[in-house]
Amino acid sequence: MAQHHLPAPTIGFDLDMTLIDSRPGIRAAYVELARETGAYIDADLAVTRLGPPLAEELAHWFPAEEIPAMADRYRALYPRFAVAPSPALPGAHAALEAVRARGGRSLVVTAKHEGNAKLHLEHVGLTPDVLIGELWAEGKATALREHGATAYVGDHVGDVRGARRAGVISVAVATGPCGADELRAEGADVVLPDLTAFPDWLASAA
């Protein structure tokens, strides 16, 4: 494993399937959206491909002209149906604490609507220094550079691309839809099984 030196790191984290398991909540929100609209949505399938922006998933279930309205309705339903069922993933609290213990700062940079992301973080008691929403893949690089990130941790190949575009260390966790080999092939510098391994990696990189 390559050695990276991060004495006082600024670390970015993805949210869905990196810090939280949002599958139960997102599934519940899609089930309710389908019930309200009468549309067919395979909620079990939808939660296997979390990561990209909401509009990309809605495009599988609604005509293009309906997607903006359906996105608005989904986001309105989200706080009531999606937040409470979604727990923190193992190691999430310890990962943010490990950054803090080294005098560093933590950012959450996510494709999720920022208001809903904030509700998730509050619900599970995660307290990053900065939260930035509605950025996906290479688009995350803007926030990572702006806040001086030294690494970005995510579960999706889009997160790897965002880290590489920003010129920061890509730390991937194999807790989402992308397997370890896929994350490595995309160019992740480090691949961990989950966030429980993050504090030891950070200590080795200090």
Side-chain angles (χ1 to χ4, degrees), residues 10-83:
T10 297
I11 308 290
F13 293 86
D14 179 47
L15 181 63
D16 290 334
M17 302 313 301
T18 298
L19 290 171
I20 65 168
D21 183 354
S22 52
R23 291 172 298 185
I26 289 175
R27 182 186 183 283
Y30 277 127
V31 167
E32 179 60 17
L33 184 65
R35 188 194 68 79
E36 280 196 5
T37 61
Y40 174 71
I41 301 174
D42 186 338
D44 292 314
L45 175 60
V47 298
T48 67
R49 48 193 183 202
L50 300 182
L54 173 62
E56 292 190 21
E57 182 60 39
L58 292 176
H60 293 287
W61 315 113
F62 295 98
E65 64 272 15
E66 294 182 19
I67 290 174
M70 291 301 102
D72 288 345
R73 186 57 191 152
Y74 173 90
R75 291 184 179 121
L77 293 168
Y78 197 95
R80 182 156 53 102
F81 289 92
V83 174

Side-chain angles (χ1 to χ4, degrees), residues 84-101:
S86 300
L89 280 165
H93 291 88
L96 295 193
E97 182 53 39
V99 176
R100 189 172 294 115

